[in-house]
């Protein structure tokens, strides 16, 4: 028996906040992949959201993209900005307090808070690591962050944890679902880059004119290379900055190095 009419009726009388995380698979993810939903199911979902929006319910859908293709103008798009520095400090203190530790000199934490670039999951994992390793003073934190930036420090979060708790699991989910084995080998070379990735430099690593060229990207043309980097952007591994450059989060060299090895 259809449950939707009863659900809509209940939401007319009861204020509900319905959070739907990662709706990308509804329309295929990454772009170009087949959807897990057929056309009828997508239409029924849109109809449900439209009718539900006229009740006491509020819907929060999260995605890496705007999803206009199947939602049209139904949602109000809210872009999430990086977590403010003050909020990062509060979260860091809360993570430490959960383990019975308190940071007494907050300015010493600044390099670690800046390293995360406002990503809550990176902050959660990095601060947890620092606490477990007894890292607290200014010099220790500076050394720890330097190792993280160089990709030398292993993020030791448990990849078997759910994606909202494990940085490694979250990154692997998109990495393994969006790319084939050849493409994963090509992207693993990004562990050699810091701060930003330049498309032409990645192709140069595979220039057949050089004896030292890397087999995985040998002969890679610009169109294919850009398509690869743009797909990495779509799943959140990179951010476009213009002029064929892409910003790379400082935590990612560790992830790419793990894939490379």
């Amino acid at each position: 028996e259809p449950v939707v009419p009863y659900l809509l009726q209940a939401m007319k009388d009861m204020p509900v906040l319905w959070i739907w995380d990662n709706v990308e698979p509804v329309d295929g993810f990454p772009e170009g992949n087949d959807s897990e939903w057929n056309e009828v199911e997508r239409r029924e979902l849109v109809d449900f959201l439209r009718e539900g929006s006229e009740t006491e319910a509020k819907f929060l859908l999260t995605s890496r993209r705007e999803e206009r293709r199947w939602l049209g103008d139904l949602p109000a798009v809210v872009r999430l900005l990086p977590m403010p520095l003050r909020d990062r400090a509060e979260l860091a203190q809360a993570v430490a307090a959960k383990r019975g530790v308190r940071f007494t000199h907050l300015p010493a934490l600044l390099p670690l808070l800046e390293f995360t670039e406002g990503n809550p999951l990176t902050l959660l994992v990095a601060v947890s690591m620092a606490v477990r390793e007894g890292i607290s003073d200014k010099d220790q934190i500076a050394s720890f962050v330097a190792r993280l930036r160089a990709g030398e420090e292993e993020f030791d979060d448990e990849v078997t944890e759910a994606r909202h708790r494990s940085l490694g699991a979250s990154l692997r989910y998109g990495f393994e679902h969006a790319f084939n084995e050849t493409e994963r080998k090509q992207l693993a070379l990004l562990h050699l880059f810091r701060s930003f990735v330049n498309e032409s430099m990645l192709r140069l690593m595979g220039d057949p004119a050089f004896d030292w060229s890397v087999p995985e990207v040998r002969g890679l043309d610009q169109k294919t290379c850009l398509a690869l980097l743009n797909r990495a952007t779509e799943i959140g591994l990179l951010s476009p900055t213009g002029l064929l450059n892409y910003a790379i989060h400082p935590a990612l060299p560790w992830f790419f190095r793990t894939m490379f090895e």
Side-chain angles (χ1 to χ4, degrees):
E1 191 172 344
V3 71
V4 171
Y6 297 100
L7 188 57
L8 289 169
Q9 182 59 48
M11 291 191 300
K12 289 180 180 179
D13 304 321
M14 182 188 308
V16 173
L17 174 60
W18 189 323
I19 302 176
W20 192 329
D21 199 15
N22 297 331
V23 298
E24 295 96 329
V26 174
D27 197 39
F29 181 74
E31 189 171 345
N33 284 16
D34 292 335
S35 170
E36 297 178 8
W37 299 60
N38 61 42
E39 185 62 35
V40 173
E41 291 171 332
R42 282 199 296 271
R43 186 167 58 250
E44 289 177 343
L45 175 58
V46 173
D47 290 342
F48 170 72
L49 292 172
R50 181 174 291 107
E51 291 182 57
S53 66
E54 298 173 358
T55 69
E56 294 298 311
K58 300 294 183 183
F59 295 90
L60 176 61
L61 313 181
T62 73
S63 175
R64 296 170 178 83
R65 58 197 183 195
E66 292 190 1
E67 305 296 347
R68 294 288 193 189
R69 192 162 65 178
W70 64 280
L71 283 172
D73 293 327
L74 179 60
V77 177
V78 179
R79 298 185 183 279
L80 288 182
L81 299 175
M83 178 181 283
L85 198 57
R86 177 181 295 179
D87 292 348
R88 296 181 219 177
E90 290 182 3
L91 178 56
Q93 285 283 38
V95 171
K98 190 174 181 179
R99 297 179 177 272
V101 176
R102 178 171 178 78
F103 293 112
T104 56
H105 188 57
L106 282 178
L109 270 180
L110 187 60
L112 185 56
L113 301 181
E114 291 178 337
F115 165 80
T116 67
E117 294 188 354
N119 183 293
L121 183 54
T122 305
L123 178 62
L124 176 66
V125 174
V127 172
S128 296
M129 287 174 58
V131 171
R132 283 197 300 269
E133 296 178 22
I135 296 171
S136 58
D137 66 37
K138 182 178 180 180
D139 292 338
Q140 289 175 328
I141 291 175
S143 177
F144 177 61
V145 171
R147 296 196 303 274
L148 288 175
R149 289 190 181 280
E152 298 170 357
E153 186 75 30
E154 290 283 351
F155 281 90
D156 59 357
D157 63 329
E158 180 53 61
V159 295
T160 58
E161 292 277 6
R163 282 184 284 136
H164 68 281
R165 297 182 59 185
S166 166
L167 181 60
S170 178
L171 292 171
R172 277 181 177 81
Y173 175 79
F175 194 68
E176 293 175 359
H177 284 73
F179 305 101
N180 60 37
E181 184 178 359
T182 297
E183 294 167 333
R184 290 196 291 268
K185 288 181 178 180
Q186 293 169 338
L187 288 173
L189 295 170
L190 299 186
H191 85 282
L192 299 168
F193 293 80
R194 297 295 180 271
S195 300
F196 71 93
V197 175
N198 179 269
E199 177 271 336
S200 61
M201 292 305 296
L202 181 60
R203 283 192 296 113
L204 182 62
M205 293 169 64
D207 192 329
F210 299 104
D211 294 336
W212 46 257
S213 63
V214 181
E216 285 72 17
V217 288
R218 184 169 294 145
L220 190 66
D221 61 82
Q222 185 179 58
K223 181 179 179 180
T224 304
C225 188
L226 285 174
L228 179 67
L229 295 177
N230 287 336
R231 282 167 58 211
T233 297
E234 186 180 349
I235 68 169
L237 295 175
L238 302 173
S239 302
T241 61
L243 299 178
L244 305 184
N245 288 330
Y246 299 79
I248 180 170
H249 191 281
L252 284 173
W254 152 79
F255 173 73
F256 287 126
R257 182 173 63 84
T258 302
M259 297 295 101
F260 179 83
E261 291 174 349

